[in-house]
Amino acid sequence: MNYAQSVNQEHKKTNGQFFTPIEIAGLMGTFAEVSESSLRILDPGCGTAILTCALIESIVQNNSKLQEIDLIVYETDKALIPYTKESLDYLRSWLNAKNIELKFSIHTDDFILENAGCLTDNGNLFSQTINPFDIIVSNPPYFKLPIDDKRAIAAKAVVNGHPNIYAIFMAISARLLKENGQLIFITPRSYASGSYFKLFREYFFKIIEIDNVHLFVSRKDTFNRDKVLQETVIIKGTRKEKTNPKHKVHVYSSHGLKDIDSPIIKSFAQKELIDLSSNEKILYLPTSDSDEAILNVFKNWSGNLNKYNIQISTGPVVAFRSKDHIHDTYQNGTVLLAPLFWLHNVQQMALDWPMPKPEKGQYVRVHDESKSILIPNKNYVLLRRFSAKDDKSRLVAAPYFCNFIEAEYIGVENKVNYIYRPKGHLERNEVIGLCALLNSSLFDSYFRIFNGNVNVSATELREIPLPPLETIKEIGNSVILSNDFSVDKANKIVNEQFEFTLATI
Ligand SMILES: C[S@@+](CC[C@H](N)C(=O)[O-])C[C@H]1O[C@@H](n2cnc3c(N)ncnc32)[C@H](O)[C@@H]1O
């Protein structure tokens, strides 16, 4: 506490230093289930060792056979070490009084650089270099690493694109466990989906069977003291040579700290939360009956964009690289111009264009030099790639029809995805049907079950299950017939189609 107050926010950010509140440390401790008399424990990125202390306190209460603990902790911030040592000395005398011996060693080396080798040794538990652990507990640092950072390079077996350091801590820890050893981690929930974490998910969930998950739905409440706006998740898993798809997983959820002791609890077979045979291996975290009902609706759909010969791509106009081609105003026919659609033009069920804004010209000049950043004027669904934190819906999709403007080409800015049929064209009812679905609360709720952040990636959209194409067209026709293109109407039609009342979502 003293330390957290004495260092500034910048220092905390660069070291990923956000300490676990005592209530959460206590909860994480209770997740351990061990009956051995001798334990080897690891706490990578231990800070002042609050997690270790809470874990061991809980084990002592539940395991009367415990006689000795071999504890390894890692912490790179030397300024913290005196506090770490003080906690561990105290822990040792507390355990001594209970006739339990504690041997501890504090490593000040970088946990990743010291241990990443284990990621590529094929995980051989009998490897000379690994002395595996019974329990690993951690609140690792969270920040993105540059691709050329030596830690990202050392851990390249689990890294694609921009890695976040916390996932590397998790992957290495999974490898450092004994068979049936357990890990308990608190992290952002961003690893559940997205291409940057795909290799990580493949690696981690192949050897870790999930036992419990506790999701903190509020971004603000969990690490309140340090003002970290992250949706946070605790995962407790067991190392298995072969994971069992039928293994029962308990999903707890609470808003934040205040209701941490009275979470909502749901249980699922592991395969219902993560399908290890799927391409993306997305981890779904349903937290209520309605989430579960929504998952079941989507599970019954076997369609997707690809099966309907529909594709999604990212807008090719990168504004700062295309400055010379972008124009603010229509130039009275003196040069050939195509409309340019930005994120702010894309509204739910409606394209609002032109909507002039400083530095956001609404046209692209059509000439040979700009052809590579323009797309043919066809029917499209335009979809925002990012939502704002307080937006009501994560998915914001607008229809675009080729008769909107007389032009051979249109421009789509890079923060917008466009959905199209590469060979052929999307019918009017397909465009409206897809827009109605994407903007519906059914899709928004489904999306939130696996995506805890504000990004909407094309990869995720490609994987999203869709109802039969005929049903999409029927939805489109119903909206068109009603002549009411509002989000409310579209939502109502989608809900009626799938017999979902608004109250259940
Ligand atoms: C999110 S804090 C959590 C601290 C403590 N575990 C807790 O729960 O309060 C992560 C800690 O990891 C340390 N750390 C950052 N990078 C590290 C690395 N590469 N190896 C070991 N420790 C690291 C930071 O200095 C920080 O104290």
Side-chain angles (χ1 to χ4, degrees), residues 15-20 45-46 50 75-76 80 110-111 139-141:
N15 292 288
Q17 245 170 28
F18 296 100
F19 298 114
T20 315
C46 71
I50 184 166
E75 176 51 63
T76 40
L80 266 175
D110 187 298
F111 173 67
N139 172 3

Side-chain angles (χ1 to χ4, degrees), residues 10 14 25 57 76 134 173 421 481 497:
E10 197 46 46
T14 40
E57 190 181 343
T76 40
D134 297 284
S173 297
R421 180 164 281 134
L481 262 177
Q497 182 76 37

Side-chain angles (χ1 to χ4, degrees), residues 193-404:
S193 63
S195 53
Y196 288 165
F197 292 99
K198 190 173 152 188
L199 262 185
F200 163 76
R201 286 194 297 278
E202 250 164 41
Y203 188 94
F204 187 80
F205 290 111
K206 201 165 160 198
I207 54 172
I208 294 293
E209 206 167 74
I210 314 170
D211 300 315
N212 299 339
V213 170
H214 189 121
L215 187 68
F216 294 96
V217 184
S218 163
R219 293 161 191 267
K220 294 200 182 111
D221 195 21
T222 332
F223 289 92
N224 202 11
R225 178 159 37 118
D226 295 310
K227 298 192 179 63
V228 179
L229 289 175
Q230 295 268 10
E231 264 188 33
T232 307
V233 69
I234 301 170
I235 185 167
K236 189 262 169 154
T238 302
R239 167 78 191 255
K240 294 281 176 188
E241 195 59 40
K242 195 163 175 3
T243 58
N244 172 8
K246 293 192 182 136
H247 181 68
K248 262 257 163 314
V249 182
H250 300 289
V251 179
Y252 301 81
S253 63
S254 60
H255 200 68
L257 291 184
K258 292 191 194 84
D259 57 343
I260 191 169
D261 291 330
S262 49
I264 296 170
I265 309 170
K266 306 273 313 161
S267 297
F268 301 90
Q270 166 141 341
K271 65 171 190 236
E272 294 178 72
L273 302 185
I274 180 164
D275 175 1
L276 291 177
S277 65
S278 66
N279 189 23
E280 286 296 309
K281 297 175 182 61
I282 287 171
L283 174 66
Y284 295 87
L285 295 176
T287 56
S288 62
D289 290 347
S290 77
D291 279 2
E292 195 177 351
I294 288 165
L295 272 190
N296 286 331
V297 170
F298 280 77
K299 216 175 277 163
N300 285 324
W301 292 343
S302 56
N304 60 36
L305 290 176
N306 206 16
K307 284 193 183 153
Y308 304 149
N309 188 19
I310 299 176
Q311 281 206 5
I312 174 163
S313 299
T314 298
V317 179
V318 179
F320 74 90
R321 282 197 214 123
S322 314
K323 271 197 183 121
D324 293 347
H325 309 305
I326 297 177
H327 289 241
D328 283 334
T329 45
Y330 192 64
Q331 302 192 347
N332 206 16
T334 48
V335 287
L336 202 53
L337 293 174
L340 173 60
F341 303 119
W342 298 74
L343 183 130
H344 68 272
N345 298 120
V346 179
Q347 309 287 340
Q348 284 199 298
M349 294 302 290
L351 190 63
D352 205 347
W353 183 94
M355 197 202 281
K357 276 194 170 206
E359 306 284 316
K360 298 208 181 334
Q362 298 282 290
Y363 300 89
V364 183
R365 179 165 180 195
V366 183
H367 53 165
D368 282 349
E369 292 81 355
S370 65
K371 288 264 169 71
S372 61
I373 57 164
L374 294 168
I375 60 174
N377 184 13
K378 304 203 311 185
N379 292 352
Y380 295 101
V381 174
L382 300 179
L383 180 73
R384 290 189 183 188
R385 288 179 59 207
F386 305 95
S387 59
K389 281 210 172 77
D390 35 11
D391 273 354
K392 259 188 28 217
S393 179
R394 299 277 174 88
L395 301 173
V396 178
Y400 173 81
F401 295 106
C402 59
N403 58 0
F404 181 78

Side-chain angles (χ1 to χ4, degrees), residues 34-100:
V34 280
S35 52
E36 290 86 347
S37 58
S38 166
L39 289 175
R40 218 170 117 71
I41 299 178
L42 169 69
D43 181 347
C46 71
T48 57
I50 184 166
L51 287 182
T52 290
C53 292
L55 171 76
I56 292 178
E57 190 181 343
S58 174
I59 295 175
V60 168
Q61 271 167 16
N62 296 309
N63 173 5
S64 53
K65 284 198 232 146
L66 188 62
Q67 288 176 357
E68 55 178 17
I69 299 173
D70 188 8
L71 171 71
I72 311 288
V73 300
Y74 278 80
E75 176 51 63
T76 40
D77 184 351
K78 297 215 168 55
L80 266 175
I81 300 300
Y83 299 96
T84 318
K85 189 160 183 320
E86 201 178 311
S87 306
L88 295 181
D89 282 337
Y90 176 81
L91 179 67
R92 181 162 50 194
S93 44
W94 183 81
L95 286 168
N96 265 348
K98 299 182 183 316
N99 291 323
I100 301 168

